[in-house]
PDB file of all heavy atoms in Angstrom:
ATOM      1  N   ARG A   1      -7.512  23.511  13.223  1.00  0.00           N
ATOM      2  CA  ARG A   1      -7.581  23.378  11.753  1.00  0.00           C
ATOM      3  C   ARG A   1      -7.001  24.620  11.068  1.00  0.00           C
ATOM      4  O   ARG A   1      -6.272  24.501  10.080  1.00  0.00           O
ATOM      5  CB  ARG A   1      -9.037  23.178  11.299  1.00  0.00           C
ATOM      6  CG  ARG A   1      -9.617  21.829  11.658  1.00  0.00           C
ATOM      7  CD  ARG A   1     -10.857  21.527  10.849  1.00  0.00           C
ATOM      8  NE  ARG A   1     -11.881  22.569  10.984  1.00  0.00           N
ATOM      9  CZ  ARG A   1     -12.803  22.576  11.951  1.00  0.00           C
ATOM     10  NH1 ARG A   1     -12.807  21.615  12.864  1.00  0.00           N
ATOM     11  NH2 ARG A   1     -13.711  23.532  11.992  1.00  0.00           N
ATOM     12  N   ASN A   2      -7.327  25.773  11.591  1.00  0.00           N
ATOM     13  CA  ASN A   2      -6.843  27.009  10.951  1.00  0.00           C
ATOM     14  C   ASN A   2      -5.362  27.212  11.191  1.00  0.00           C
ATOM     15  O   ASN A   2      -4.645  27.715  10.319  1.00  0.00           O
ATOM     16  CB  ASN A   2      -7.666  28.192  11.433  1.00  0.00           C
ATOM     17  CG  ASN A   2      -9.006  28.271  10.761  1.00  0.00           C
ATOM     18  OD1 ASN A   2      -9.139  28.841   9.680  1.00  0.00           O
ATOM     19  ND2 ASN A   2     -10.036  27.688  11.378  1.00  0.00           N
ATOM     20  N   ALA A   3      -4.889  26.833  12.372  1.00  0.00           N
ATOM     21  CA  ALA A   3      -3.454  26.899  12.624  1.00  0.00           C
ATOM     22  C   ALA A   3      -2.693  25.964  11.703  1.00  0.00           C
ATOM     23  O   ALA A   3      -1.643  26.308  11.160  1.00  0.00           O
ATOM     24  CB  ALA A   3      -3.165  26.552  14.096  1.00  0.00           C
ATOM     25  N   ALA A   4      -3.248  24.773  11.500  1.00  0.00           N
ATOM     26  CA  ALA A   4      -2.597  23.805  10.613  1.00  0.00           C
ATOM     27  C   ALA A   4      -2.552  24.315   9.172  1.00  0.00           C
ATOM     28  O   ALA A   4      -1.570  24.127   8.458  1.00  0.00           O
ATOM     29  CB  ALA A   4      -3.350  22.464  10.666  1.00  0.00           C
ATOM     30  N   MET A   5      -3.619  24.996   8.753  1.00  0.00           N
ATOM     31  CA  MET A   5      -3.665  25.534   7.390  1.00  0.00           C
ATOM     32  C   MET A   5      -2.518  26.527   7.139  1.00  0.00           C
ATOM     33  O   MET A   5      -1.823  26.463   6.132  1.00  0.00           O
ATOM     34  CB  MET A   5      -5.003  26.231   7.146  1.00  0.00           C
ATOM     35  CG  MET A   5      -5.140  26.847   5.761  1.00  0.00           C
ATOM     36  SD  MET A   5      -6.724  27.664   5.510  1.00  0.00           S
ATOM     37  CE  MET A   5      -6.458  29.128   6.555  1.00  0.00           C
ATOM     38  N   ILE A   6      -2.306  27.428   8.101  1.00  0.00           N
ATOM     39  CA  ILE A   6      -1.241  28.428   7.938  1.00  0.00           C
ATOM     40  C   ILE A   6       0.127  27.800   8.129  1.00  0.00           C
ATOM     41  O   ILE A   6       1.073  28.111   7.379  1.00  0.00           O
ATOM     42  CB  ILE A   6      -1.450  29.595   8.925  1.00  0.00           C
ATOM     43  CG1 ILE A   6      -2.796  30.272   8.691  1.00  0.00           C
ATOM     44  CG2 ILE A   6      -0.314  30.593   8.800  1.00  0.00           C
ATOM     45  CD1 ILE A   6      -2.994  30.825   7.289  1.00  0.00           C
ATOM     46  N   ALA A   7       0.272  26.914   9.110  1.00  0.00           N
ATOM     47  CA  ALA A   7       1.570  26.301   9.371  1.00  0.00           C
ATOM     48  C   ALA A   7       2.032  25.466   8.198  1.00  0.00           C
ATOM     49  O   ALA A   7       3.217  25.513   7.804  1.00  0.00           O
ATOM     50  CB  ALA A   7       1.515  25.472  10.638  1.00  0.00           C
ATOM     51  N   THR A   8       1.124  24.682   7.617  1.00  0.00           N
ATOM     52  CA  THR A   8       1.511  23.892   6.445  1.00  0.00           C
ATOM     53  C   THR A   8       1.802  24.801   5.269  1.00  0.00           C
ATOM     54  O   THR A   8       2.713  24.534   4.466  1.00  0.00           O
ATOM     55  CB  THR A   8       0.413  22.884   6.062  1.00  0.00           C
ATOM     56  OG1 THR A   8      -0.842  23.561   5.875  1.00  0.00           O
ATOM     57  CG2 THR A   8       0.247  21.811   7.134  1.00  0.00           C
ATOM     58  N   GLY A   9       1.052  25.893   5.154  1.00  0.00           N
ATOM     59  CA  GLY A   9       1.303  26.865   4.086  1.00  0.00           C
ATOM     60  C   GLY A   9       2.656  27.504   4.185  1.00  0.00           C
ATOM     61  O   GLY A   9       3.285  27.863   3.178  1.00  0.00           O
ATOM     62  N   LEU A  10       3.157  27.668   5.417  1.00  0.00           N
ATOM     63  CA  LEU A  10       4.488  28.218   5.643  1.00  0.00           C
ATOM     64  C   LEU A  10       5.579  27.199   5.351  1.00  0.00           C
ATOM     65  O   LEU A  10       6.777  27.551   5.335  1.00  0.00           O
ATOM     66  CB  LEU A  10       4.620  28.701   7.087  1.00  0.00           C
ATOM     67  CG  LEU A  10       3.843  29.983   7.463  1.00  0.00           C
ATOM     68  CD1 LEU A  10       3.909  30.211   8.976  1.00  0.00           C
ATOM     69  CD2 LEU A  10       4.386  31.193   6.710  1.00  0.00           C
ATOM     70  N   GLY A  11       5.182  25.949   5.148  1.00  0.00           N
ATOM     71  CA  GLY A  11       6.159  24.903   4.839  1.00  0.00           C
ATOM     72  C   GLY A  11       6.672  24.163   6.048  1.00  0.00           C
ATOM     73  O   GLY A  11       7.644  23.405   5.947  1.00  0.00           O
ATOM     74  N   ALA A  12       6.046  24.363   7.211  1.00  0.00           N
ATOM     75  CA  ALA A  12       6.494  23.697   8.427  1.00  0.00           C
ATOM     76  C   ALA A  12       6.074  22.219   8.435  1.00  0.00           C
ATOM     77  O   ALA A  12       5.104  21.810   7.760  1.00  0.00           O
ATOM     78  CB  ALA A  12       5.927  24.398   9.646  1.00  0.00           C
ATOM     79  N   LYS A  13       6.775  21.455   9.232  1.00  0.00           N
ATOM     80  CA  LYS A  13       6.325  20.126   9.579  1.00  0.00           C
ATOM     81  C   LYS A  13       5.265  20.280  10.653  1.00  0.00           C
ATOM     82  O   LYS A  13       5.463  20.983  11.644  1.00  0.00           O
ATOM     83  CB  LYS A  13       7.493  19.296  10.113  1.00  0.00           C
ATOM     84  CG  LYS A  13       7.115  17.908  10.632  1.00  0.00           C
ATOM     85  CD  LYS A  13       8.323  17.206  11.248  1.00  0.00           C
ATOM     86  CE  LYS A  13       7.943  15.870  11.847  1.00  0.00           C
ATOM     87  NZ  LYS A  13       9.119  15.178  12.458  1.00  0.00           N
ATOM     88  N   VAL A  14       4.092  19.647  10.477  1.00  0.00           N
ATOM     89  CA  VAL A  14       2.977  19.896  11.394  1.00  0.00           C
ATOM     90  C   VAL A  14       2.454  18.580  11.939  1.00  0.00           C
ATOM     91  O   VAL A  14       2.242  17.612  11.203  1.00  0.00           O
ATOM     92  CB  VAL A  14       1.824  20.636  10.676  1.00  0.00           C
ATOM     93  CG1 VAL A  14       0.664  20.862  11.627  1.00  0.00           C
ATOM     94  CG2 VAL A  14       2.333  21.961  10.140  1.00  0.00           C
ATOM     95  N   THR A  15       2.265  18.554  13.262  1.00  0.00           N
ATOM     96  CA  THR A  15       1.604  17.416  13.934  1.00  0.00           C
ATOM     97  C   THR A  15       0.473  17.973  14.773  1.00  0.00           C
ATOM     98  O   THR A  15       0.654  18.932  15.517  1.00  0.00           O
ATOM     99  CB  THR A  15       2.584  16.655  14.850  1.00  0.00           C
ATOM    100  OG1 THR A  15       3.712  16.235  14.102  1.00  0.00           O
ATOM    101  CG2 THR A  15       1.899  15.438  15.464  1.00  0.00           C
ATOM    102  N   ILE A  16      -0.711  17.375  14.636  1.00  0.00           N
ATOM    103  CA  ILE A  16      -1.857  17.839  15.405  1.00  0.00           C
ATOM    104  C   ILE A  16      -2.402  16.700  16.250  1.00  0.00           C
ATOM    105  O   ILE A  16      -2.491  15.545  15.779  1.00  0.00           O
ATOM    106  CB  ILE A  16      -2.946  18.424  14.442  1.00  0.00           C
ATOM    107  CG1 ILE A  16      -4.047  19.111  15.231  1.00  0.00           C
ATOM    108  CG2 ILE A  16      -3.473  17.368  13.483  1.00  0.00           C
ATOM    109  CD1 ILE A  16      -4.919  20.007  14.353  1.00  0.00           C
ATOM    110  N   LEU A  17      -2.723  17.005  17.514  1.00  0.00           N
ATOM    111  CA  LEU A  17      -3.219  15.997  18.443  1.00  0.00           C
ATOM    112  C   LEU A  17      -4.625  16.349  18.912  1.00  0.00           C
ATOM    113  O   LEU A  17      -4.946  17.541  19.108  1.00  0.00           O
ATOM    114  CB  LEU A  17      -2.305  15.874  19.664  1.00  0.00           C
ATOM    115  CG  LEU A  17      -0.864  15.439  19.428  1.00  0.00           C
ATOM    116  CD1 LEU A  17       0.056  16.623  19.222  1.00  0.00           C
ATOM    117  CD2 LEU A  17      -0.354  14.598  20.620  1.00  0.00           C
ATOM    118  N   ASP A  18      -5.443  15.348  19.121  1.00  0.00           N
ATOM    119  CA  ASP A  18      -6.786  15.542  19.645  1.00  0.00           C
ATOM    120  C   ASP A  18      -7.222  14.237  20.316  1.00  0.00           C
ATOM    121  O   ASP A  18      -6.730  13.160  19.982  1.00  0.00           O
ATOM    122  CB  ASP A  18      -7.767  15.935  18.525  1.00  0.00           C
ATOM    123  CG  ASP A  18      -9.031  16.599  19.052  1.00  0.00           C
ATOM    124  OD1 ASP A  18      -9.888  15.892  19.602  1.00  0.00           O
ATOM    125  OD2 ASP A  18      -9.156  17.824  18.892  1.00  0.00           O
ATOM    126  N   ILE A  19      -8.176  14.366  21.239  1.00  0.00           N
ATOM    127  CA  ILE A  19      -8.722  13.169  21.898  1.00  0.00           C
ATOM    128  C   ILE A  19      -9.822  12.537  21.073  1.00  0.00           C
ATOM    129  O   ILE A  19     -10.279  11.427  21.388  1.00  0.00           O
ATOM    130  CB  ILE A  19      -9.256  13.499  23.310  1.00  0.00           C
ATOM    131  CG1 ILE A  19     -10.376  14.564  23.226  1.00  0.00           C
ATOM    132  CG2 ILE A  19      -8.125  13.982  24.211  1.00  0.00           C
ATOM    133  CD1 ILE A  19     -11.051  14.835  24.558  1.00  0.00           C
ATOM    134  N   ASN A  20     -10.267  13.201  19.997  1.00  0.00           N
ATOM    135  CA  ASN A  20     -11.368  12.749  19.180  1.00  0.00           C
ATOM    136  C   ASN A  20     -10.841  12.234  17.844  1.00  0.00           C
ATOM    137  O   ASN A  20     -10.333  13.012  17.013  1.00  0.00           O
ATOM    138  CB  ASN A  20     -12.346  13.912  18.955  1.00  0.00           C
ATOM    139  CG  ASN A  20     -13.617  13.478  18.242  1.00  0.00           C
ATOM    140  OD1 ASN A  20     -13.588  12.721  17.296  1.00  0.00           O
ATOM    141  ND2 ASN A  20     -14.756  14.009  18.703  1.00  0.00           N
ATOM    142  N   VAL A  21     -10.940  10.933  17.619  1.00  0.00           N
ATOM    143  CA  VAL A  21     -10.410  10.332  16.388  1.00  0.00           C
ATOM    144  C   VAL A  21     -11.125  10.843  15.155  1.00  0.00           C
ATOM    145  O   VAL A  21     -10.504  11.019  14.080  1.00  0.00           O
ATOM    146  CB  VAL A  21     -10.508   8.787  16.482  1.00  0.00           C
ATOM    147  CG1 VAL A  21     -10.084   8.145  15.167  1.00  0.00           C
ATOM    148  CG2 VAL A  21      -9.644   8.249  17.619  1.00  0.00           C
ATOM    149  N   GLN A  22     -12.434  11.113  15.269  1.00  0.00           N
ATOM    150  CA  GLN A  22     -13.168  11.626  14.111  1.00  0.00           C
ATOM    151  C   GLN A  22     -12.641  12.991  13.675  1.00  0.00           C
ATOM    152  O   GLN A  22     -12.534  13.274  12.469  1.00  0.00           O
ATOM    153  CB  GLN A  22     -14.653  11.712  14.438  1.00  0.00           C
ATOM    154  CG  GLN A  22     -15.340  10.356  14.555  1.00  0.00           C
ATOM    155  CD  GLN A  22     -16.834  10.468  14.849  1.00  0.00           C
ATOM    156  OE1 GLN A  22     -17.251  11.309  15.601  1.00  0.00           O
ATOM    157  NE2 GLN A  22     -17.607   9.580  14.233  1.00  0.00           N
ATOM    158  N   ARG A  23     -12.297  13.849  14.640  1.00  0.00           N
ATOM    159  CA  ARG A  23     -11.718  15.140  14.292  1.00  0.00           C
ATOM    160  C   ARG A  23     -10.370  14.959  13.591  1.00  0.00           C
ATOM    161  O   ARG A  23     -10.043  15.669  12.640  1.00  0.00           O
ATOM    162  CB  ARG A  23     -11.533  15.995  15.539  1.00  0.00           C
ATOM    163  CG  ARG A  23     -12.796  16.680  16.021  1.00  0.00           C
ATOM    164  CD  ARG A  23     -12.463  17.628  17.172  1.00  0.00           C
ATOM    165  NE  ARG A  23     -13.597  18.448  17.550  1.00  0.00           N
ATOM    166  CZ  ARG A  23     -13.571  19.383  18.479  1.00  0.00           C
ATOM    167  NH1 ARG A  23     -12.449  19.600  19.145  1.00  0.00           N
ATOM    168  NH2 ARG A  23     -14.646  20.088  18.757  1.00  0.00           N
ATOM    169  N   LEU A  24      -9.588  14.028  14.077  1.00  0.00           N
ATOM    170  CA  LEU A  24      -8.301  13.769  13.438  1.00  0.00           C
ATOM    171  C   LEU A  24      -8.488  13.244  12.025  1.00  0.00           C
ATOM    172  O   LEU A  24      -7.712  13.552  11.108  1.00  0.00           O
ATOM    173  CB  LEU A  24      -7.494  12.758  14.266  1.00  0.00           C
ATOM    174  CG  LEU A  24      -7.030  13.262  15.647  1.00  0.00           C
ATOM    175  CD1 LEU A  24      -6.319  12.139  16.384  1.00  0.00           C
ATOM    176  CD2 LEU A  24      -6.125  14.487  15.511  1.00  0.00           C
ATOM    177  N   SER A  25      -9.545  12.468  11.817  1.00  0.00           N
ATOM    178  CA  SER A  25      -9.855  11.959  10.465  1.00  0.00           C
ATOM    179  C   SER A  25     -10.166  13.102   9.514  1.00  0.00           C
ATOM    180  O   SER A  25      -9.766  13.088   8.346  1.00  0.00           O
ATOM    181  CB  SER A  25     -11.041  10.991  10.539  1.00  0.00           C
ATOM    182  OG  SER A  25     -11.370  10.494   9.257  1.00  0.00           O
ATOM    183  N   VAL A  26     -10.875  14.112  10.021  1.00  0.00           N
ATOM    184  CA  VAL A  26     -11.160  15.292   9.202  1.00  0.00           C
ATOM    185  C   VAL A  26      -9.865  15.991   8.810  1.00  0.00           C
ATOM    186  O   VAL A  26      -9.702  16.444   7.673  1.00  0.00           O
ATOM    187  CB  VAL A  26     -12.121  16.246   9.948  1.00  0.00           C
ATOM    188  CG1 VAL A  26     -12.241  17.579   9.214  1.00  0.00           C
ATOM    189  CG2 VAL A  26     -13.482  15.620  10.133  1.00  0.00           C
ATOM    190  N   ILE A  27      -8.946  16.083   9.756  1.00  0.00           N
ATOM    191  CA  ILE A  27      -7.630  16.726   9.482  1.00  0.00           C
ATOM    192  C   ILE A  27      -6.922  15.989   8.363  1.00  0.00           C
ATOM    193  O   ILE A  27      -6.356  16.603   7.441  1.00  0.00           O
ATOM    194  CB  ILE A  27      -6.761  16.760  10.744  1.00  0.00           C
ATOM    195  CG1 ILE A  27      -7.388  17.684  11.808  1.00  0.00           C
ATOM    196  CG2 ILE A  27      -5.337  17.205  10.424  1.00  0.00           C
ATOM    197  CD1 ILE A  27      -7.473  19.138  11.412  1.00  0.00           C
ATOM    198  N   THR A  28      -6.936  14.676   8.417  1.00  0.00           N
ATOM    199  CA  THR A  28      -6.296  13.876   7.378  1.00  0.00           C
ATOM    200  C   THR A  28      -6.975  14.080   6.037  1.00  0.00           C
ATOM    201  O   THR A  28      -6.306  14.195   5.006  1.00  0.00           O
ATOM    202  CB  THR A  28      -6.335  12.377   7.761  1.00  0.00           C
ATOM    203  OG1 THR A  28      -5.632  12.188   8.987  1.00  0.00           O
ATOM    204  CG2 THR A  28      -5.680  11.530   6.688  1.00  0.00           C
ATOM    205  N   ASP A  29      -8.302  14.164   6.045  1.00  0.00           N
ATOM    206  CA  ASP A  29      -9.044  14.419   4.785  1.00  0.00           C
ATOM    207  C   ASP A  29      -8.667  15.764   4.183  1.00  0.00           C
ATOM    208  O   ASP A  29      -8.577  15.907   2.968  1.00  0.00           O
ATOM    209  CB  ASP A  29     -10.540  14.370   5.040  1.00  0.00           C
ATOM    210  CG  ASP A  29     -11.068  12.963   5.348  1.00  0.00           C
ATOM    211  OD1 ASP A  29     -10.355  11.996   5.042  1.00  0.00           O
ATOM    212  OD2 ASP A  29     -12.194  12.866   5.884  1.00  0.00           O
ATOM    213  N   ILE A  30      -8.466  16.751   5.040  1.00  0.00           N
ATOM    214  CA  ILE A  30      -8.173  18.108   4.558  1.00  0.00           C
ATOM    215  C   ILE A  30      -6.717  18.239   4.111  1.00  0.00           C
ATOM    216  O   ILE A  30      -6.423  18.749   3.019  1.00  0.00           O
ATOM    217  CB  ILE A  30      -8.459  19.154   5.658  1.00  0.00           C
ATOM    218  CG1 ILE A  30      -9.948  19.205   5.985  1.00  0.00           C
ATOM    219  CG2 ILE A  30      -7.984  20.549   5.218  1.00  0.00           C
ATOM    220  CD1 ILE A  30     -10.279  20.047   7.201  1.00  0.00           C
ATOM    221  N   PHE A  31      -5.791  17.760   4.947  1.00  0.00           N
ATOM    222  CA  PHE A  31      -4.379  18.061   4.742  1.00  0.00           C
ATOM    223  C   PHE A  31      -3.568  16.895   4.187  1.00  0.00           C
ATOM    224  O   PHE A  31      -2.435  17.088   3.741  1.00  0.00           O
ATOM    225  CB  PHE A  31      -3.734  18.547   6.051  1.00  0.00           C
ATOM    226  CG  PHE A  31      -4.329  19.813   6.565  1.00  0.00           C
ATOM    227  CD1 PHE A  31      -5.224  19.787   7.622  1.00  0.00           C
ATOM    228  CD2 PHE A  31      -3.988  21.024   6.018  1.00  0.00           C
ATOM    229  CE1 PHE A  31      -5.778  20.961   8.115  1.00  0.00           C
ATOM    230  CE2 PHE A  31      -4.532  22.205   6.491  1.00  0.00           C
ATOM    231  CZ  PHE A  31      -5.443  22.186   7.546  1.00  0.00           C
ATOM    232  N   GLY A  32      -4.140  15.697   4.225  1.00  0.00           N
ATOM    233  CA  GLY A  32      -3.393  14.538   3.749  1.00  0.00           C
ATOM    234  C   GLY A  32      -2.102  14.327   4.505  1.00  0.00           C
ATOM    235  O   GLY A  32      -2.039  14.518   5.722  1.00  0.00           O
ATOM    236  N   SER A  33      -1.047  13.996   3.783  1.00  0.00           N
ATOM    237  CA  SER A  33       0.232  13.676   4.434  1.00  0.00           C
ATOM    238  C   SER A  33       0.994  14.895   4.893  1.00  0.00           C
ATOM    239  O   SER A  33       2.028  14.767   5.543  1.00  0.00           O
ATOM    240  CB  SER A  33       1.098  12.867   3.453  1.00  0.00           C
ATOM    241  OG  SER A  33       1.350  13.614   2.284  1.00  0.00           O
ATOM    242  N   SER A  34       0.484  16.106   4.573  1.00  0.00           N
ATOM    243  CA  SER A  34       1.202  17.312   4.980  1.00  0.00           C
ATOM    244  C   SER A  34       1.006  17.634   6.465  1.00  0.00           C
ATOM    245  O   SER A  34       1.674  18.509   7.012  1.00  0.00           O
ATOM    246  CB  SER A  34       0.766  18.515   4.154  1.00  0.00           C
ATOM    247  OG  SER A  34      -0.593  18.795   4.324  1.00  0.00           O
ATOM    248  N   CYS A  35       0.098  16.910   7.105  1.00  0.00           N
ATOM    249  CA  CYS A  35      -0.146  17.126   8.533  1.00  0.00           C
ATOM    250  C   CYS A  35      -0.303  15.777   9.219  1.00  0.00           C
ATOM    251  O   CYS A  35      -1.254  15.043   8.947  1.00  0.00           O
ATOM    252  CB  CYS A  35      -1.404  17.986   8.734  1.00  0.00           C
ATOM    253  SG  CYS A  35      -1.782  18.374  10.439  1.00  0.00           S
ATOM    254  N   ALA A  36       0.617  15.448  10.109  1.00  0.00           N
ATOM    255  CA  ALA A  36       0.536  14.193  10.849  1.00  0.00           C
ATOM    256  C   ALA A  36      -0.480  14.325  11.976  1.00  0.00           C
ATOM    257  O   ALA A  36      -0.691  15.418  12.502  1.00  0.00           O
ATOM    258  CB  ALA A  36       1.901  13.816  11.412  1.00  0.00           C
ATOM    259  N   THR A  37      -1.117  13.211  12.342  1.00  0.00           N
ATOM    260  CA  THR A  37      -2.080  13.244  13.442  1.00  0.00           C
ATOM    261  C   THR A  37      -1.701  12.213  14.510  1.00  0.00           C
ATOM    262  O   THR A  37      -1.137  11.161  14.201  1.00  0.00           O
ATOM    263  CB  THR A  37      -3.517  12.917  12.938  1.00  0.00           C
ATOM    264  OG1 THR A  37      -3.523  11.616  12.325  1.00  0.00           O
ATOM    265  CG2 THR A  37      -3.983  13.951  11.921  1.00  0.00           C
ATOM    266  N   LEU A  38      -2.019  12.575  15.748  1.00  0.00           N
ATOM    267  CA  LEU A  38      -1.774  11.682  16.872  1.00  0.00           C
ATOM    268  C   LEU A  38      -2.935  11.782  17.843  1.00  0.00           C
ATOM    269  O   LEU A  38      -3.472  12.877  18.060  1.00  0.00           O
ATOM    270  CB  LEU A  38      -0.494  12.064  17.621  1.00  0.00           C
ATOM    271  CG  LEU A  38       0.854  11.544  17.097  1.00  0.00           C
ATOM    272  CD1 LEU A  38       1.980  12.152  17.940  1.00  0.00           C
ATOM    273  CD2 LEU A  38       0.916  10.035  17.126  1.00  0.00           C
TER     274      LEU A  38
END
């Protein structure tokens, strides 16, 4: 989550992967479309 915060802030394209769908849902809630999830 913290890596995504800085990477998106730098303007990068960001994709985050996890085995836990609920965690990925939290990422979507926080970052919206600025961070893709898989």
